Every structure is written in C-alpha cells, then in structure tokens.
Amino acid sequence: MNKEYYLKLANIYRKLIQAFFSMPFKYGFSNNKEENFNRDILNLYEKYLQLLIKHQEEIPSLENDNKLKNVSCYLYALGLSIPTIFKNIYEALLPWQCGADPGEISGFAPFIDNWSEDELLERLFADLDTLKIKAYPSTINAPIKHDGYKIACFLDKDGKDFHFARQNQNDIWSQKMGFDKKIYLSDNPMAFLDRIPDYDYKLVRTLEIVKSRERKRG
C-alpha cells in the first residue's frame, strides 16, 4: 500500500473524528439523529471500503483473517474489515453493534424484520454494485472462472437470519459465527450449518466475486 493510500485513509479518519465531535451540534435532539448519524458514518465507511478494495489482496487468505476480527459473517465473507476506530466511535454513539448488514453500505436499513430470498439478494447485489465488486453465478463445487473467489449466501427458512461463508486461496471454505472471532474451516460450506442450531438455513446463492483492485505500476 502506497503513500497515497495512507493519505486518503488519514483523511477518512479525520472526517470520522469530526463527525463524532459534531454529533451533538449537528443532529441535536432530532428524532432521527441516530439514523442520520448512522448514515453519515456508513458513508465514510463506504469510502474506506472503496479505498481498501483497490489495495487489498484479490482473494482472501486465512493468514490475514486477524484484520477481520471486528466484522460479522457477512463482511468476513466479502473480506472487508471494520477498523477499530470505526467500531469504537459507532458503538459509543449508537445503541447497536457496528457491523453492516447486507444492504446497509448501499443505503438500506439494518436487518430488523424477516427477509425473503429476493430481499436478501437485492441488498447483497446493491452492496456489491456500490463497491464495484463483480458477481457471477456459481456453485459450491464449480471451478473458478473469473479469477475471483466464491461466497455462499444462506437464509433461515423463516427469514429470521442470514449467514455467509467464503472460499479461500487454498480452496478451503471458512466462516465466522456472527461477531465471534473464531474462524471455522471446512471443505464444504454446507457442513457449517450443523454448528448453528438456532436457525434452519438454506443455501440461497453461490457467487464468484471479483474485486476491482488497483494494479501496481511497474
């Protein structure tokens, strides 16, 4: 990562800290102050992710999973981190845990009510489009065709929860359980479902995703 990357990152962090200190003055006692602040923070987080994607490795590796300690299964599968400064500021001012649900990055409300398969996929594809991540239909056992990597998207049969897993450079699948820091491994993501007894998940879609990484100039 070059000097330009760190300068842009520092600018995002500066705006984040400014948002933190200006919240009481900017939003006051508005009924929608938490929602408005959440949107402003997510706008900055979106800029961080767009910057990150251009410079990170194209295919996640288990060796770098320590950078994903703050994220849920969704962002883990996409290989997108939440810097601790974002997490601390977010959770200091908002009454819920920092971790974008599918669709939040692209402007949807957080997950509250039951979702249908179509709603989950709409949110997922909106986020991928916002982050300029290309997605191609795939299956669990299909070979990689676009130099990307695969993610598996699950939804509880009653629409009460979602889950995501990813395939790594060594073809092994991995997942996180919510915000748990432990990483689980398997050669088949369907095997993960046995570890989640509270929900009855079904596979909704398997995708090969390709990030628009900034190539090194040589």
Side-chain angles (χ1 to χ4, degrees):
M1 294 185 183
N2 54 31
K3 181 179 179 181
E4 182 183 3
Y5 167 85
Y6 289 107
L7 288 174
K8 290 180 178 179
L9 182 62
N11 188 50
I12 291 172
Y13 286 171
R14 177 180 60 80
K15 292 179 179 178
L16 179 66
I17 293 171
Q18 287 177 340
F20 174 78
F21 285 108
S22 68
M23 184 188 180
F25 308 100
K26 183 176 180 180
Y27 305 104
F29 297 98
S30 167
N31 292 332
N32 298 320
K33 66 177 181 179
E34 290 179 351
E35 178 181 341
N36 293 335
F37 179 72
N38 181 47
R39 187 66 253 161
D40 283 354
I41 295 300
L42 286 175
N43 285 339
L44 288 173
Y45 182 56
E46 177 190 326
K47 294 182 185 301
Y48 163 77
L49 292 179
Q50 291 171 339
L51 177 65
L52 174 69
I53 288 171
K54 291 180 179 180
H55 295 84
Q56 69 175 176
E57 58 183 358
E58 293 169 301
I59 302 174
S61 61
L62 296 171
E63 291 78 10
N64 288 326
D65 276 352
N66 62 313
K67 299 176 182 177
L68 303 177
K69 61 183 179 179
N70 292 331
V71 304
S72 66
C73 67
Y74 175 55
L75 294 178
Y76 173 80
L78 296 182
L80 303 177
S81 60
I82 296 178
T84 299
I85 186 173
F86 268 97
K87 176 180 170 63
N88 290 345
I89 286 179
Y90 191 99
E91 295 181 1
L93 298 174
L94 295 171
W96 51 84
Q97 198 167 21
C98 179
D101 289 336
E104 275 195 274
I105 295 169
S106 50
F108 287 84
F111 177 82
I112 299 176
D113 300 318
N114 295 358
W115 286 353
S116 67
E117 291 185 17
D118 287 344
E119 288 172 321
L120 177 59
L121 291 174
E122 180 186 15
R123 288 166 170 263
L124 169 61
F125 285 121
D127 282 352
L128 296 179
D129 184 61
T130 296
L131 297 173
K132 297 180 173 58
I133 298 175
K134 297 180 180 179
Y136 302 92
S138 187
T139 65
I140 290 174
N141 297 312
I144 295 298
K145 298 180 180 179
H146 304 279
D147 296 325
Y149 72 97
K150 289 187 285 186
I151 63 170
C153 171
F154 301 92
L155 185 67
D156 175 64
K157 289 184 177 179
D158 294 326
K160 295 179 180 179
D161 193 36
F162 57 85
H163 186 62
F164 286 82
R166 79 172 197 223
Q167 192 177 38
N168 299 279
Q169 293 176 343
N170 58 3
D171 294 333
I172 296 296
W173 288 82
S174 61
Q175 71 161 5
K176 288 185 71 176
M177 301 280 286
F179 287 91
D180 188 0
K181 290 180 172 54
K182 184 175 180 179
I183 306 299
Y184 297 89
L185 307 177
S186 177
D187 60 357
N188 190 322
M190 301 301 293
F192 291 140
L193 306 187
D194 295 336
R195 298 180 178 272
I196 314 176
D198 297 332
Y199 298 98
D200 186 8
Y201 290 106
K202 58 182 176 180
L203 179 64
V204 174
R205 191 69 58 89
T206 304
L207 298 170
E208 180 182 343
I209 63 173
V210 182
K211 297 176 181 177
S212 301
R213 190 174 184 272
E214 188 172 279
R215 303 289 180 177
K216 291 182 179 181
R217 299 179 179 89

